[in-house]
Each structure stands twice: as C-alpha cells, then as structure tokens.
Amino acid sequence: MKTLLEIKDSFIDKLIIIRTFYMSSLIENELANNLIEKNKHDGTALKSKYRSVDDKFIFGQGITWNLNTEVEVNECIYMITRNNEKTKMLINLLTINLCSAFESFLFDLLEYHLRNFPEYINNSQKSVKLQEVFKFNSIDDVKEDLIVREIIDYGYYSLDKQITMLEKNYKVEFSFRSEIRIARRIFTKRNCIVHNQGIVSKELFEMFIDEQKSRNIIGDPINTSEFEFSEEIHLLNLMGTRIIRTISDKNF
C-alpha cells in the first residue's frame, strides 16, 4: 500500500508527464511551422531534422520520464504541422488523462484511509449476504471485500462528493472555493469529450467565463486555449498539494 508521500509523488509524476508531453509538442509544433515556412513544405528537410534512431521521434524526455510515445517520423510531421485541429485533439486527449490522474489520486487517498483507519470499515453500513460470507476464509477477507466495494462506489460519485467524502473521513476541511468551481468545469469538459464527441454542451457553456464563451459555442467542438490547459494542470496540482498537506497536518 502506498504512503501519503508516495500517493503525492505518483500524482505529481503523472502531471509532469502530461505537462512535458504537452509542452514538447507545442515546441516541436513551432519549430516545424518555422521550418515549413523556410523550406517551402520541403518534406525531405523536415524528415532530416526530425530523424532519430530507427526513424522514430520521441515526445517529452524519452525513457527517463517513462514517456515512450513514439510515432513514425512522417506521422509526427503530419501532427505537428497541422497545429490547429491536431493541437485541439491533443489537448482533449490530455484533458482526459489529467482528470484520470486526479481521480486516481483521490482513489488512492480513500484507500489509504480505509486501510489505516479500520474503524471506518468496522462501522460500515454495507451488508454482506449470508451466502456471500461462506466464500471468505476470514474476517479480514470480508473487510477487504468491503474496502473494494467502498472504492468502487466512490468512483460513481461526483467530484464534489468525492472531495467532501475525503474531508469527512479525514475530519479536515480543504477550504476550496473558486478551485472546486474550476475543477468542476474541467471534469465537465472531460465528460463532453468522452460522452459528447468533444462538443460543447449547454451545461459546460454555462460554466465558462466570458473569455471562454467568446471561442466556444454550444454544439461546436470544444476550443481550449494553450494557456487555459496549462492553467488547468496548475490548478489540479495546487489542489492535490493542498489536500495532502491538510491531511498530513491533521493526522500526523
């Protein structure tokens, strides 16, 4: 089982991978566009510039960052030279990963609490049918089953309820104000990407501030600016750091 420090480090590592992948893609995008202009769409010159071992191009920091996403050189050129459509697609995919990283972080914290504060499971209101009891070898196996079920149920809750449940379990207050409102918008955007083909819904549009509304229309593809996505990474990083610090200060 992970310690609180390991839970925090795992979350931060995921954010670093997402940020590194994203920023390196933007940099290569700019370099490629400049080179295209200079070489008048000379594909040979582009291939020469981006050629590496085995004709592969590796985004980010390579294997040292556990980021081994490789594409053929010509595929990489195709992506980075058509920046508008492809960059939006990249941001959408990374938004899904960003939300998944934060959810995994919250799941780890719930599991940590369930395993380190057994009184919660001992007082659980969940019931176990008699016929189910016989499949367990010990009371510890029953408790383990309850922990797994608690975590599964937790995954169906809204972001607000997941955070509130952690506050209740750890007997703390994270004191999120504008942060939770923005985080709710990020997760609603993720839901539109996953379940609504990346199209702006009425719910999401109403969460946008004026600047975001100026480039997003209900029924059109979501348009996330490069600055906005960078700020979203930063926000969830700050929220995760505050959660860990608050729990640590209260319980240890």
Side-chain angles (χ1 to χ4, degrees):
M1 183 184 63
K2 296 178 183 176
T3 65
L4 281 179
L5 179 60
E6 288 171 336
I7 291 173
K8 184 194 74 170
D9 288 346
S10 175
F11 174 58
I12 297 301
D13 285 346
K14 290 174 184 176
L15 295 189
I16 289 174
I17 290 174
I18 292 172
R19 184 175 57 196
T20 303
F21 188 99
Y22 177 57
M23 293 306 297
S24 62
S25 298
L26 294 182
I27 291 171
E28 293 301 334
N29 196 358
E30 184 65 24
L31 290 173
N33 285 332
N34 290 339
L35 196 61
I36 288 172
E37 183 66 24
K38 180 179 179 181
N39 291 282
K40 305 299 183 182
H41 301 273
D42 185 344
T44 302
L46 278 171
K47 280 196 174 186
S48 175
K49 180 176 179 61
Y50 291 100
R51 186 178 298 279
S52 60
V53 178
D54 298 326
D55 256 6
K56 298 286 186 179
F57 181 86
I58 305 177
F59 286 101
Q61 299 294 324
I63 58 174
T64 57
W65 282 97
N66 297 319
L67 183 59
N68 301 310
T69 303
E70 300 181 354
V71 293
E72 296 292 341
V73 171
N74 60 339
E75 293 177 359
C76 175
I77 293 170
Y78 178 82
M79 190 188 80
I80 60 183
T81 58
R82 290 160 174 77
N83 61 323
N84 291 331
E85 179 183 350
K86 297 297 178 178
T87 298
K88 289 178 184 177
M89 184 184 301
L90 175 64
I91 291 177
N92 283 352
L93 291 173
L94 293 182
T95 296
I96 296 172
N97 288 326
L98 178 62
C99 292
S100 295
F102 193 72
E103 285 177 328
S104 177
F105 169 69
L106 298 180
F107 277 41
D108 285 346
L109 288 173
L110 175 67
E111 182 177 5
Y112 181 87
H113 177 269
L114 295 177
R115 297 191 184 282
N116 283 277
F117 299 89
E119 62 272 15
Y120 181 90
I121 288 297
N122 292 339
N123 298 323
S124 174
Q125 299 299 311
K126 290 189 180 299
S127 60
V128 179
K129 293 181 180 179
L130 181 61
Q131 59 265 35
E132 293 179 339
V133 172
F134 294 114
K135 72 180 182 181
F136 301 112
N137 296 320
S138 67
I139 190 65
D140 287 338
D141 290 342
V142 176
K143 291 181 178 179
E144 179 66 24
D145 181 71
L146 289 174
I147 288 174
V148 171
R149 288 165 59 186
E150 286 284 351
I151 294 173
I152 291 174
D153 288 349
Y154 186 73
Y156 290 103
Y157 299 151
S158 66
L159 177 65
D160 295 68
K161 187 171 182 179
Q162 287 178 342
I163 291 177
T164 298
M165 186 172 174
L166 285 181
E167 289 179 319
K168 180 181 178 181
N169 288 357
Y170 283 102
K171 297 179 173 60
V172 298
E173 289 185 10
F174 302 132
S175 300
F176 292 134
R177 293 181 176 82
S178 61
E179 299 96 333
I180 192 65
R181 174 176 53 80
I182 299 172
R184 193 183 301 125
R185 185 176 68 216
I186 297 171
F187 275 74
T188 301
K189 184 194 299 182
R190 186 276 307 271
N191 292 342
C192 284
I193 294 169
V194 174
H195 303 296
N196 199 38
Q197 298 181 321
I199 301 300
V200 178
S201 66
K202 185 174 184 292
E203 178 187 12
L204 177 60
F205 184 80
E206 291 175 348
M207 291 180 172
F208 283 146
I209 60 175
D210 289 343
E211 188 277 327
Q212 293 168 315
K213 287 181 178 178
S214 68
R215 51 184 161 79
N216 285 276
I217 300 174
I218 298 175
D220 281 359
I222 296 170
N223 186 350
T224 303
S225 71
E226 296 166 359
F227 175 77
E228 179 184 340
F229 182 67
S230 298
E231 287 294 290
E232 290 171 350
I233 298 175
H234 181 60
L235 174 83
L236 294 187
N237 182 18
L238 289 178
M239 289 181 67
T241 301
R242 183 187 297 181
I243 288 172
I244 288 290
R245 184 175 63 245
T246 304
I247 290 174
S248 298
D249 291 345
K250 174 70 175 183
N251 293 278
F252 303 97

